[in-house]
C-alpha cells in the first residue's frame, strides 16, 4: 500500500506555476496567457491530490480551450508540456475521429491510448528501480555463454555394466573447480572491459511483430487488442538466436531481466490510477469538427464526433485491455485555429466543458526576431549546428535577423498567415545554395547580413505569385 502511495506521489508535478511558465519560456516566445492557464491547471492537479478523499472526488479539472491561428505555439506548448509533466500525456488530432458507424477511429481510443502511455510510463519507472539487479543477472547470462555449465553425463548402459552413481558424482565434482575457475577468469576480463567487442551468439525472446492495422481505424480496435493478447498468451514464447557484441548483449539481457523482475499486474493497477488521476489529453484541431450552421453530408459526422467526445470529457467509464478507466479527473486541453468556425459553433454541451478559454496572439516582427534567437532550440542555432558539421562557421548579423523577421511578417500578410512556420520556409530558401555547396566550399566563414538576405529572397518576396508557391 505504501508503494502505491509513493507511486501516485511520484506522478505529481510539484513545480509551481511560475516554474512551469519559466520552463515553457525556454522554448516558446510570448503567449503568456496560455502558459499561465496551463501552469495553473497543472498546479491544481497537485492541490486537489492534497485534499481529503471525499473532496477529491468533487474537485474536477477545469478544461482549457486554446484559440489561435496556426503557427503561434499551440502544438509546441503541448509538445513541451508532454516532456515537462510527470503524468500520462497524449496528443491527438480531433480530425482522425469519426462518429460511431462511420469509417474511422472511435473516440474511446483516446482513453485506450492514454492507458497504453500510462502503462509504458509506470513500467519504465519500475524497470529503472531494478536495473542493478537486472545488470547482475545479465552478467551471469553472459558468463553462461562464455563458460557453459557442464552437462551431466548420462550413460544409459552404465548401470547395466556396473556403473554407479558415486562414479558420476566424482566426475561432476572434478569438473566443478574448473568450471568455477573459468567463470571467475571470464568475470575479471568482463569487469576490465576486455571482452566488450567480442561477438557472441545469444538466445533472446522473440517478441514477434504485432498484428498492426488489422483492426485499426474501426470501433473493433479494443477487440483487436484483446485478441492479440489472447493469442500471445496461448502461444509459447519463442527464442531466437542472434550474434551480437558483448556490449549489445548486456543491454538486451538487462532489458529482459528487468522485465522479468517487474510485476505487470501491479504495473497495470498503478497505470490505471495514474491515468485516472493525473492523465492529460491534448485535443488538437478541435475547430475542424465544429459545424457552422445546419450542415449535411460530412458535417453530420463532425457533429457526431462532438457528441461522442462529450461523454468522455464529461466523465464516463471506458473499458481498456488493462481494466476500466474513469475519465472524470482527466484534464482535457483543446486547441484550434478557428479560422472558418467559431468556438460558439461547437455544440453547447461541449462548450460548457471547456470553461477556461485562452486566445493566443498572432506573431509580430519582434516575436519573429525573438523566435530566431532566444529559445533553447532556436532556428538559427539549429542551422549553425547543422552547417558546423561540414566545418562551416555561420554568423547572422543583427540586421539580417531583423530583415528575416520583416520578410516573414510581409509574406504572412500577403498570403496565408502560418505564423512561425513561415520562418522555416524562408530560412530553408535563404540557405539552400549554402547547404548544397557546403561540402566543397573552401571558404569556411560565412557572414549573413541584410544584403545577403535581400540578394537571395527579395525577388521572390516582391513577386507575389512566386511567394505564394515558394514561400
Amino acid at each position: 500500500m505504501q508503494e502505491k502511495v509513493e507511486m501516485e506521489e511520484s506522478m505529481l508535478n510539484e513545480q509551481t506555476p511560475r516554474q512551469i511558465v519559466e520552463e515553457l519560456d525556454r522554448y516558446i516566445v510570448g503567449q503568456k496567457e496560455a502558459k499561465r492557464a496551463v501552469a495553473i491547471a497543472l498546479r491544481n492537479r497537485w492541490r486537489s491530490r492534497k485534499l481529503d478523499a471525499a473532496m477529491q472526488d468533487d474537485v474536477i479539472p477545469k478544461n482549457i480551450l486554446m484559440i489561435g491561428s496556426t503557427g503561434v505555439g499551440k502544438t509546441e506548448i503541448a509538445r513541451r508540456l508532454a516532456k515537462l509533466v510527470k503524468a500520462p500525456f497524449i496528443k491527438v488530432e480531433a480530425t482522425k475521429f469519426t462518429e460511431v458507424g462511420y469509417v474511422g477511429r472511435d473516440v474511446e481510443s483516446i482513453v485506450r491510448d492514454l492507458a497504453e502511455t500510462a502503462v509504458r510510463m509506470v513500467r519504465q519507472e519500475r524497470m529503472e528501480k531494478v536495473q542493478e539487479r537486472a545488470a547482475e543477472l545479465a552478467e551471469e547470462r553472459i558468463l553462461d555463454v562464455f563458460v557453459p555449465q557442464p552437462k551431466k553425463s548420462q550413460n544409459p548402459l552404465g548401470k547395466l555394466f556396473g556403473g554407479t552413481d558415486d562414479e558420476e558424482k566424482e566426475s561432476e565434482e572434478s569438473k566443478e573447480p574448473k568450471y568455477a575457475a573459468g567463470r571467475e577468469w571470464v568475470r575479471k576480463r568482463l569487469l576490465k572491459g576486455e571482452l566488450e567487442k567480442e561477438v557472441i551468439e545469444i538466445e533472446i525472446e522473440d517478441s514477434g511483430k504485432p498484428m498492426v492495422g488489422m483492426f485499426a481505424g474501426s470501433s473493433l480496435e479494443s477487440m483487436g487488442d484483446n485478441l492479440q493478447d489472447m493469442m500471445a498468451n496461448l502461444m509459447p514464447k519463442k527464442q531466437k538466436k542472434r550474434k551480437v557484441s558483448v556490449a549489445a548483449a548486456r543491454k538486451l539481457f538487462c532489458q529482459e531481466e528487468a522485465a522479468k523482475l517487474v510485476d505487470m499486474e501491479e504495473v497495470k493497477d498503478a497505470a490505471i490510477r495514474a491515468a485516472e488521476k493525473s492523465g492529460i489529453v491534448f485535443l488538437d484541431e478541435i475547430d475542424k469538427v465544429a459545424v457552422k450552421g445546419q450542415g449535411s453530408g460530412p458535417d453530420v459526422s463532425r457533429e457526431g464526433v462532438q457528441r461522442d467526445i462529450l461523454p468522455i470529457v464529461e466523465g464516463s467509464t471506458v473499458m481498456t485491455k488493462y481494466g476500466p478507466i474513469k475519465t472524470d479527473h482527466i484534464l482535457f486541453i483543446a486547441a484550434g485555429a478557428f479560422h472558418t468556425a467559431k468556438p460558439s459553433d461547437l455544440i453547447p454541451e461541449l462548450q460548457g466543458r471547456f470553461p477556461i478559454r485562452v486566445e493566443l496572439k498572432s506573431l509580430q516582427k519582434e516575436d519573429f526576431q525573438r523566435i530566431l534567437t532566444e529559445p533553447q532550440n532556436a532556428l538559427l542555432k539549429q542551422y549553425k549546428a547543422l552547417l558546423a558539421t561540414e566545418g562551416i562557421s555561420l554568423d547572422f548579423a543583427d540586421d539580417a535577423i531583423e530583415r528575416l523577421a520583416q520578410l516573414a511578417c510581409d509574406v504572412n500578410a500577403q498570403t496565408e498567415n502560418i505564423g512561425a512556420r513561415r520562418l522555416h520556409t524562408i530560412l530553408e530558401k535563404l540557405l539552400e545554395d549554402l547547404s548544397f555547396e557546403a561540402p566543397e566550399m573552401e571558404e569556411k566563414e560565412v557572414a549573413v547580413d541584410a544584403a545577403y538576405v535581400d540578394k537571395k529572397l527579395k525577388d521572390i518576396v516582391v513577386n507575389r505569385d512566386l511567394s505564394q508557391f515558394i514561400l
Side-chain angles (χ1 to χ4, degrees):
M1 184 65 188
Q2 182 64 29
E3 191 178 345
K4 289 179 182 179
V5 173
E6 286 176 7
M7 183 68 207
E8 288 180 9
E9 288 293 325
S10 71
M11 284 291 181
L12 291 176
N13 193 307
E14 296 186 358
Q15 289 172 298
T16 64
R18 194 179 303 280
Q19 289 171 334
I20 294 168
V21 169
E22 285 172 1
E23 186 66 26
L24 292 173
D25 280 341
R26 291 171 59 196
Y27 301 98
I28 302 155
V29 169
Q31 313 303 0
K32 292 290 182 187
E33 292 84 355
K35 292 173 186 171
R36 283 169 65 93
V38 167
I40 292 167
L42 288 181
R43 188 62 176 180
N44 280 339
R45 308 300 295 278
W46 180 86
R47 291 167 180 154
S48 67
R49 297 288 287 279
K50 299 293 181 183
L51 301 173
D52 58 74
M55 188 167 278
Q56 270 189 39
D57 290 337
D58 294 330
V59 177
I60 58 172
K62 307 297 183 290
N63 300 322
I64 302 168
L65 177 62
M66 293 200 292
I67 305 160
S69 57
T70 185
V72 295
K74 302 186 300 295
T75 308
E76 189 65 17
I77 287 174
R79 283 183 61 232
R80 294 301 163 186
L81 206 61
K83 295 178 181 180
L84 183 63
V85 299
K86 300 175 185 175
F89 179 102
I90 60 163
K91 175 184 172 292
V92 294
E93 308 287 328
T95 48
K96 72 178 178 182
F97 301 106
T98 61
E99 185 183 1
V100 174
Y102 288 77
V103 176
R105 298 193 75 189
D106 67 297
V107 295
E108 288 189 353
S109 64
I110 295 172
V111 184
R112 290 196 289 271
D113 291 346
L114 187 67
E116 291 286 351
T117 303
V119 167
R120 193 163 55 247
M121 273 186 66
V122 177
R123 184 169 177 265
Q124 187 63 35
E125 191 170 310
R126 296 287 174 89
M127 284 175 71
E128 285 172 5
K129 289 181 179 178
V130 296
Q131 275 304 309
E132 285 187 21
R133 177 62 183 150
E136 291 172 9
L137 294 170
E139 199 81 1
E140 292 301 318
R141 286 180 67 175
I142 292 171
L143 287 171
D144 287 340
V145 175
F146 280 106
V147 189
Q149 289 191 3
K151 294 181 180 178
K152 292 181 180 180
S153 58
Q154 292 182 345
N155 184 359
L157 301 176
K159 290 185 180 180
L160 291 174
F161 295 101
T164 62
D165 291 341
D166 292 337
E167 288 176 5
E168 288 179 13
K169 284 179 183 175
E170 283 175 15
S171 65
E172 285 172 20
E173 284 171 7
S174 65
K175 291 177 184 175
E176 188 64 34
K178 294 178 184 177
Y179 168 68
R183 282 180 79 87
E184 286 307 310
W185 180 72
V186 174
R187 194 191 300 276
K188 287 176 183 175
R189 292 191 68 192
L190 281 172
L191 288 171
K192 289 178 184 176
E194 295 175 3
L195 302 173
E196 292 301 288
K197 293 182 180 178
E198 287 281 328
V199 176
I200 56 175
E201 187 174 65
I202 61 170
E203 277 195 357
I204 55 172
E205 282 185 13
D206 184 7
S207 55
K209 293 181 181 177
M211 296 181 289
V212 177
M214 179 178 283
F215 296 95
S218 73
S219 57
L220 298 174
E221 267 183 289
S222 58
M223 188 191 298
D225 291 339
N226 294 333
L227 185 61
Q228 286 183 34
D229 287 346
M230 186 176 70
M231 294 296 289
N233 292 330
L234 287 174
M235 302 292 287
K237 288 185 178 177
K238 292 181 181 178
Q239 297 283 325
K240 66 176 179 182
K241 290 186 177 182
R242 284 183 61 184
K243 286 189 176 181
V244 294
S245 66
V246 169
R250 186 179 283 105
K251 287 180 184 176
L252 292 168
F253 284 154
C254 263
Q255 288 173 358
E256 271 195 14
E257 294 302 326
K260 289 176 186 175
L261 291 168
V262 170
D263 184 347
M264 277 308 293
E265 291 305 314
E266 280 186 17
V267 167
K268 289 174 186 177
D269 291 342
I272 286 174
R273 284 196 305 278
E276 286 183 339
K277 299 291 184 184
S278 308
I280 300 172
V281 174
F282 191 93
L283 196 57
D284 209 358
E285 308 290 359
I286 190 73
D287 58 313
K288 304 301 186 292
V289 295
V291 182
K292 193 174 182 180
Q294 293 296 318
S296 59
D299 289 342
V300 176
S301 177
R302 288 180 197 166
E303 192 171 322
V305 173
Q306 294 182 59
R307 286 197 300 269
D308 289 347
I309 288 173
L310 183 61
I312 292 176
V313 178
E314 278 184 333
S316 59
T317 302
V318 176
M319 287 304 301
T320 70
K321 64 180 181 181
Y322 303 110
I325 289 184
K326 291 175 70 178
T327 65
D328 301 63
H329 292 87
I330 293 174
L331 173 66
F332 288 86
I333 303 173
F338 290 98
H339 286 310
T340 55
K342 303 186 296 292
S344 57
D345 291 329
L346 295 168
I347 59 174
E349 298 90 341
L350 194 59
Q351 289 181 49
R353 291 294 162 183
F354 290 91
I356 301 174
R357 298 206 181 169
V358 184
E359 190 164 350
L360 284 82
K361 296 180 176 67
S362 294
L363 300 172
Q364 304 303 319
K365 178 184 170 183
E366 294 74 19
D367 298 318
F368 285 127
Q369 285 181 250
R370 292 178 61 199
I371 289 167
L372 285 169
T373 55
E374 286 184 15
Q376 193 165 314
N377 61 334
L379 280 174
L380 295 189
K381 294 176 185 175
Q382 293 179 29
Y383 279 102
K384 284 179 182 179
L386 284 170
L387 288 168
T389 60
E390 302 273 9
I392 304 292
S393 175
L394 191 61
D395 182 56
F396 285 89
D398 290 342
D399 61 347
I401 294 168
E402 187 179 347
R403 186 77 183 111
L404 286 168
Q406 187 61 56
L407 287 176
C409 273
D410 293 345
V411 178
N412 274 346
Q414 292 170 13
T415 58
E416 285 292 327
N417 185 359
I418 60 170
R421 293 191 180 96
R422 183 71 67 191
L423 292 172
H424 291 267
T425 317
I426 288 176
L427 276 170
E428 200 62 39
K429 194 67 187 169
L430 174 73
L431 301 172
E432 185 178 35
D433 294 337
L434 182 59
S435 297
F436 185 83
E437 295 163 4
E440 292 91 23
M441 282 178 62
E442 293 180 5
E443 179 59 48
K444 298 297 183 182
E445 300 282 335
V446 178
V448 178
D449 55 13
Y452 185 98
V453 175
D454 286 337
K455 178 185 171 186
K456 296 288 183 182
L457 299 176
K458 194 172 184 180
D459 292 339
I460 298 172
V461 174
V462 170
N463 189 328
R464 186 169 179 177
D465 292 331
L466 269 178
S467 65
Q468 282 183 321
F469 294 104
I470 297 176
L471 297 180

